[in-house]
Amino acid sequence: FNVRPSDNLSISFNPSYEVSKSGNQYVTATSTLPYEPTFGPRYIFSDLDRNTVSMETRLNWTFSPTLTLELFMQPLLSSGDYVAYKQLTASQTFDFTSFVPGLTDEQPGGIFCSSSICETTNESGATYQNVDFDGDGQADYSFRDRDFNVRSLVGNAVLRWEYRPGSTIFFVWQRNQYASSQLGDFNFDRDFAALWGVPAENRFIVKVNYWF
């Protein structure tokens, strides 16, 4: 969307919403219990559902031939849900062995799963996936769950003043906000409200040119 309220002012909005699904997202590899069909390492993949929404905004304001203002801002919200972990069956193939989620039983001797994969959560709230490769009921390998939510806001403003012919001052403001969490589900209202509480990094820059 492009709006021009006057000859010296233009504003553009570029909203974007993307939904993508992938069945071969690489996750990690481990040499735990060497696996001959893939020459030792076990390669873990997952189905990934991803949602991303953003709004690119630009403003150009010409106050006079010697004074202009440019503004750019882009909020972005993105989520990724790893919905089905699986292992590559053999090299040079696109065949996978899916892990079946089960119940978790944490004991002093280790983590036990009622099926081939189960979840645990540590004291800080991070979720881990525990995989039983050999089917003996005890987890052989653990990795952090890859679900994610990203909240980002980048923006900058540039005020340009040609204070004498050929000599220019630029006043620049840059703002960057970024935070992530391990939720995985997309909730616009929740994530948009949380975006404004994300810690921000602000930079102010002055550049001066003098034409001799």
Side-chain angles (χ1 to χ4, degrees):
F1 303 94
N2 297 293
V3 181
R4 185 178 291 273
S6 61
D7 291 340
N8 65 330
L9 176 62
S10 65
I11 307 172
S12 67
F13 303 95
N14 183 17
S16 172
Y17 178 58
E18 179 183 357
V19 177
S20 63
K21 295 180 179 289
S22 172
N24 60 341
Q25 178 64 44
Y26 173 78
V27 176
T28 187
T30 176
S31 296
T32 302
L33 298 180
Y35 185 66
E36 183 178 352
T38 51
F39 306 102
R42 295 174 181 266
Y43 298 95
I44 298 176
F45 290 76
S46 178
D47 296 342
L48 172 62
D49 293 346
R50 185 164 185 171
N51 294 267
T52 302
V53 61
S54 67
M55 170 71 82
E56 184 179 293
T57 304
R58 296 180 183 274
L59 179 147
N60 292 281
W61 198 343
T62 302
F63 301 101
S64 71
T66 59
L67 184 63
T68 61
L69 174 65
E70 295 182 4
L71 174 67
F72 170 82
M73 182 172 292
Q74 184 185 43
L76 181 145
L77 306 173
S78 183
S79 69
D81 185 12
Y82 287 74
V83 295
Y85 290 101
K86 50 195 176 182
Q87 179 182 320
L88 185 65
T89 302
S91 64
Q92 299 182 355
T93 70
F94 198 69
D95 298 328
F96 300 93
T97 300
S98 297
F99 299 133
V100 180
L103 301 177
T104 305
D105 182 17
E106 294 189 65
Q107 300 181 15
I111 299 173
F112 294 85
C113 302
S114 64
S115 192
S116 54
I117 192 170
C118 58
E119 289 186 359
T120 54
T121 304
N122 64 12
E123 295 179 354
S124 63
T127 301
Y128 284 80
Q129 298 291 340
N130 309 279
V131 186
D132 176 16
F133 290 125
D134 57 10
D136 64 354
Q138 185 172 4
D140 303 302
Y141 177 68
S142 298
F143 60 93
R144 182 161 179 170
D145 190 82
R146 296 301 197 266
D147 288 351
F148 66 86
N149 286 71
V150 171
R151 307 175 186 103
S152 168
L153 175 64
V154 294
N156 61 68
V158 180
L159 182 67
R160 176 187 175 276
W161 175 36
E162 188 175 356
Y163 60 95
R164 53 170 293 175
S167 300
T168 311
I169 297 179
F170 296 90
F171 298 94
V172 182
W173 166 62
Q174 296 177 335
R175 183 178 179 89
N176 185 26
Q177 293 179 246
Y178 178 87
S180 62
S181 59
Q182 202 184 6
L183 299 172
D185 65 311
F186 185 78
N187 185 313
F188 179 83
D189 292 339
R190 177 198 64 203
D191 293 338
F192 186 75
L195 173 63
W196 305 108
V198 172
E201 180 182 77
N202 292 282
R203 293 176 179 169
F204 296 92
I205 303 168
V206 177
K207 178 181 178 181
V208 180
N209 295 330
Y210 184 84
W211 180 259
F212 293 97

